[in-house]
Amino acid sequence: MNYPLKSLKIIFIFLLIVAQFPASVVASEYASEIFYKIRTESNSSSESIGSYSKGCLSGGMYLPSHAEYYDVLKPSRNRFWGHPDLIEFIELTSEQIFNEFGNGLLIGDLSMPRGGPMPYGHKSHQNGLDVDIYYEKKPEFQMDRFKLETYNPKSLLSPNQREINYKLWTDYQYDLLKITSKNDRVARVFVNPLIKNEICKIAIKKGDTDWLKKIRPWGGHYKHFHVRLTCPEGSKDCINQAPIKQSDGCGIELQSWLQKDKVFESNSTKIKEWMLLSELPNSCKNIIRD
């Protein structure tokens, strides 16, 4: 079909306007809604961008739901993406745990395909360097898709949420946290304050406190602990957290947590939906269009 020259000019101008329009609109949208709708990774090289709670992920790597040494729960959430360093950490740590204790790991959320803020559940997990690992051992039976979606790991806290459930607590949880925290790539491991208090008591009694520094008390985290890696080499726009200054973390900070009424709650689940794409690092705008 042949269009008059005038019509072609109008079409060209219209397309030019449309090409400019999305950038201005997207920048004013909630970042969590934008990143949540993207179901695949970017084609760029792997890089963690920005901070853990205000960033995104370039070239994210996929963690399969099933492996010999781990299972990933709730795969439908599409939060099984991370920087290659994080994927390698999960694979090697789960294999190490299997070789030492004979069981695999249950893995929770990593990041979304291109990182960014999530619409619910986490404030962090944005730049591909955070992962939740459950205290409960991976079941010996093969978990099908239904089981992966519905399996509900047990809490290590008592029903009143004020003390450790010693029917579930064993040396395994102590050793699991110790092995995890001693990995050189790990920056922090977040656990419930009551669990931090328990491992402090055990470690002090054993004279085994050199690894406690990275274990940080935080509300929630009674079914899983939250592992955070340091910024990888080559991720020039990645922002590390400030270095930990306390020696073992068993002192004032922990006691302040234990004095709270509800140590089982975490403010991290209250997502700031008003975070806009324009508030994230500039590189993140390119990531969503890659």
Side-chain angles (χ1 to χ4, degrees):
M1 183 180 293
N2 294 322
Y3 291 96
L5 182 59
K6 185 176 180 180
S7 297
L8 290 173
K9 287 182 178 179
I10 292 174
I11 293 172
F12 176 77
I13 293 172
F14 173 77
L15 292 174
L16 187 63
I17 292 173
V18 169
Q20 301 285 336
F21 184 68
S24 60
V25 172
V26 167
S28 63
E29 287 189 44
Y30 292 144
S32 59
E33 293 303 314
I34 297 170
F35 280 92
Y36 173 75
K37 294 173 183 176
I38 302 174
R39 308 301 289 175
T40 59
E41 76 277 26
S42 74
N43 294 318
S44 307
S45 59
S46 297
E47 184 175 353
S48 294
I49 300 169
S51 68
Y52 306 93
S53 57
K54 189 175 284 188
C56 58
L57 174 63
S58 170
M61 189 172 177
Y62 162 82
L63 182 71
S65 298
H66 282 295
E68 183 178 1
Y69 308 122
Y70 69 81
D71 277 319
V72 180
L73 300 186
K74 294 181 172 54
S76 64
R77 288 157 67 123
N78 201 23
R79 297 178 176 184
F80 41 74
W81 301 84
H83 186 279
D85 279 15
L86 181 64
I87 303 302
E88 183 180 52
F89 165 80
I90 294 169
E91 292 174 340
L92 293 178
T93 301
S94 60
E95 183 176 2
Q96 180 182 357
I97 295 300
F98 182 86
N99 290 335
E100 293 196 28
F101 302 102
N103 64 270
L105 296 177
L106 289 174
I107 306 297
D109 287 346
L110 282 70
S111 293
M112 295 188 294
R114 305 190 191 191
M118 296 181 182
Y120 62 92
H122 304 282
K123 286 183 180 177
S124 58
H125 289 253
Q126 292 193 28
N127 64 359
L129 297 174
D130 294 289
V131 58
D132 293 336
I133 301 176
Y134 289 93
Y135 299 108
E136 187 175 324
K137 299 177 180 180
K138 175 182 177 294
E140 294 183 1
F141 59 83
Q142 179 69 35
M143 299 182 77
D144 59 20
R145 181 59 183 259
F146 179 77
K147 275 290 185 183
L148 291 176
E149 293 290 349
T150 59
Y151 194 80
N152 186 22
K154 298 179 178 63
S155 167
L156 284 184
L157 301 188
S158 62
N160 67 8
Q161 305 286 339
R162 297 303 306 176
E163 57 193 11
I164 296 293
N165 184 346
Y166 290 105
K167 293 181 180 179
L168 299 176
W169 176 268
T170 67
D171 291 340
Y172 168 74
Q173 283 83 25
Y174 179 93
D175 292 333
L176 174 60
L177 290 169
K178 181 176 179 179
I179 289 171
T180 302
S181 68
K182 290 179 78 71
N183 187 296
D184 290 338
R185 293 192 233 182
V186 172
R188 283 168 168 78
V189 179
F190 298 100
V191 303
N192 185 271
L194 291 170
I195 294 173
K196 169 70 175 183
N197 189 50
E198 182 67 19
I199 62 174
C200 281
K201 291 190 294 185
I202 296 173
I204 290 171
K205 187 175 181 179
K206 289 184 174 183
D208 180 35
T209 60
D210 64 309
W211 60 278
L212 292 178
K213 180 178 179 180
K214 294 179 184 178
I215 307 291
R216 314 305 297 171
W218 201 260
H221 300 91
Y222 44 81
K223 293 184 178 182
H224 70 263
F225 56 97
H226 174 169
V227 181
R228 173 167 294 165
L229 302 191
T230 56
C231 288
E233 291 185 13
S235 292
K236 61 183 186 305
D237 295 324
C238 182
I239 303 173
N240 276 310
Q241 281 189 266
I244 300 170
K245 296 180 180 179
Q246 292 179 322
S247 58
D248 58 17
C250 297
I252 295 175
E253 180 187 7
L254 175 58
Q255 294 308 313
S256 67
W257 272 103
L258 295 175
Q259 291 170 10
K260 294 184 178 183
D261 291 334
K262 296 181 178 180
V263 294
F264 57 90
E265 288 189 344
S266 170
N267 289 331
S268 296
T269 58
K270 299 174 182 178
I271 303 301
K272 295 181 179 179
E273 292 185 351
W274 45 259
M275 183 182 289
L276 306 178
L277 180 63
S278 58
E279 297 178 73
L280 297 179
N282 289 331
S283 301
C284 295
K285 300 181 182 66
N286 298 325
I287 295 301
I288 65 170
R289 299 186 181 92
D290 186 7

